[in-house]
Amino acid sequence: MTMRIGRGPAALLAGALGFALVGCASNDATAPSAAGSASGGTAPAGQPDANGDGKVVIGVLSPGDINDNGYYESFVVGAEKFATEKGWQVIKRGNVPPTEALSAARALCQQGVDLVALGASELKDAIPASEEPVCAKTSWYVPSSENIPQTPRVTLSSDDPNQSMLAAGYATGLVMQAKNATKAGFVTGMEADFSVNAAKAYKAGIRMVVPNATLVTTYTGDFNDSAKAREAVQAQISQGVKVVYPYLGGATDAAAKLANTGGALTLTPGTDRCDSTDPRFDISVIFDPGAYFAAALELFAKGEMTLGTTKKWELGKDPYPAVKICKPTPEQTQKMDAFVADVASGKTDTAATVAKLGS
């Protein structure tokens, strides 16, 4: 069952699924990087002090609330933690409208940043600034989605959303099975390809455990509108939903709190919040953009952030993505570990499973 509540500006969660590092045009020569892949890659000379001013400054722009306790905040927290350890500075700005992305990026470059990091691919319109004189000695980190192609001057990092969302559904199926529940809910923002596909993979994962399960999916039209999110959650609970996945941005906590009040179990959209008590979460679905960004900054610090290469994060092979039941039984832990191992080995074909069970 699918429901829709209005339309509105979307702060896309698709940015959670990767990054692109764009090397800006400059007069500096580039040198081969030790981190290059088989496809070849180079790292601009001078990293991490790309502009050679004797200090390292990271500039972060986000289309969402950088204090949302979710996706957007985790991106900034990861950068600040790493920068503090290195003695670097971070300049950050949240709630940047896509229409202002280009001017906001130029402003960061004017402040002498060495790296411009965009918190989501929704701000991709800022990328042309990378070729302008004002940004001539900066590198750029941009969350990647299908609309950002691989080029010789872009380093992409990606994961397979089918893996994390199928795993999220499988974990949900395990807790539903324990409670003899058969109906789950999925509340998200804009009805875009990535959110539609995420719902399908989530449903498929649930049905691997509870074959007769149904999923009520609601598109509110806005990932950050708390009022619309609460309206959607309330409607789902009224329909007998026992688990609500708030696949949202700034509206995540509002949705989760109402789900708590209504007695429904909840999941996180990207971060590990098993220790949270207000709201409570029962499953953490971890595709933490802050962790991905920190990995990129690690290479940047070593002068090894290469262009023209791709890093793909895989369930069961890398620390992230990951899914964990916050208070699992021993049997649930065993089954979850076996599921992840099967995905990692290829025994479970995620795409085929989603196609078979997600419709």
Side-chain angles (χ1 to χ4, degrees), residues 17-19 144 156-160 292 310-314 321:
L17 304 177
F19 66 75
S144 174
L156 298 175
S157 175
S158 65
D159 61 12
D160 179 357
Y292 293 170
T310 299
K311 163 62 181 173
K312 186 172 183 178
W313 301 82
E314 298 185 69

Side-chain angles (χ1 to χ4, degrees), residues 24-30 136-137:
C24 302
S26 74
N27 294 325
D28 293 339
T30 58
K137 293 185 178 181

Side-chain angles (χ1 to χ4, degrees), residues 11 60-68 72 76 92-101 104 122-123 224 250:
V60 178
L61 299 177
S62 174
D65 181 1
I66 55 178
N67 298 301
D68 68 352
Y72 298 115
V76 175
K92 58 188 179 181
R93 177 185 169 189
N95 294 313
V96 178
T99 54
E100 296 179 15
E122 190 177 358
L123 298 182
N224 299 316

Side-chain angles (χ1 to χ4, degrees), residues 140-164:
W140 286 55
Y141 174 100
V142 183
S144 174
S145 59
E146 293 180 358
N147 60 354
I148 301 180
Q150 175 78 70
T151 70
R153 298 199 60 79
V154 176
T155 298
L156 298 175
S157 175
S158 65
D159 61 12
D160 179 357
N162 274 338
Q163 289 188 348
S164 55

Side-chain angles (χ1 to χ4, degrees), residues 17 160-177 184-186 197-210 213 215 243-247 265-271 281-287 315-316 321-326 332 335-337 339-340 343 348 350 353-354:
L17 304 177
D160 179 357
N162 274 338
Q163 289 188 348
S164 55
M165 295 308 296
L166 189 70
Y170 188 86
T172 298
L174 291 176
V175 298
M176 288 174 65
Q177 185 181 58
F186 189 85
N197 291 336
K200 289 180 179 179
Y202 181 59
K203 180 195 292 184
I206 295 173
R207 287 180 170 173
M208 291 179 72
V209 185
V210 184
L215 181 70
V243 180
V244 175
Y245 190 170
Y247 194 67
L265 302 177
T266 57
L267 299 83
T268 68
T271 57
F281 291 96
D282 301 278
I283 298 171
S284 283
V285 186
I286 311 166
F287 44 88
L315 185 74
V323 174
K324 70 177 186 180
I325 300 172
C326 295
Q332 288 172 341
K335 289 183 176 180
M336 200 70 216
D337 288 346
F339 169 85
V340 171
V343 171
T348 295
T350 55
T353 302
V354 172

Side-chain angles (χ1 to χ4, degrees), residues 37-88:
S37 71
S39 61
T42 59
Q47 287 183 359
D49 183 12
N51 58 21
D53 65 356
K55 59 184 178 181
V56 179
V57 182
I58 308 299
V60 178
L61 299 177
S62 174
D65 181 1
I66 55 178
N67 298 301
D68 68 352
N69 291 315
Y71 171 81
Y72 298 115
E73 183 175 1
S74 72
F75 186 84
V76 175
V77 169
E80 290 185 318
K81 182 177 184 296
F82 189 90
T84 298
E85 293 172 353
K86 294 293 184 181
W88 299 351

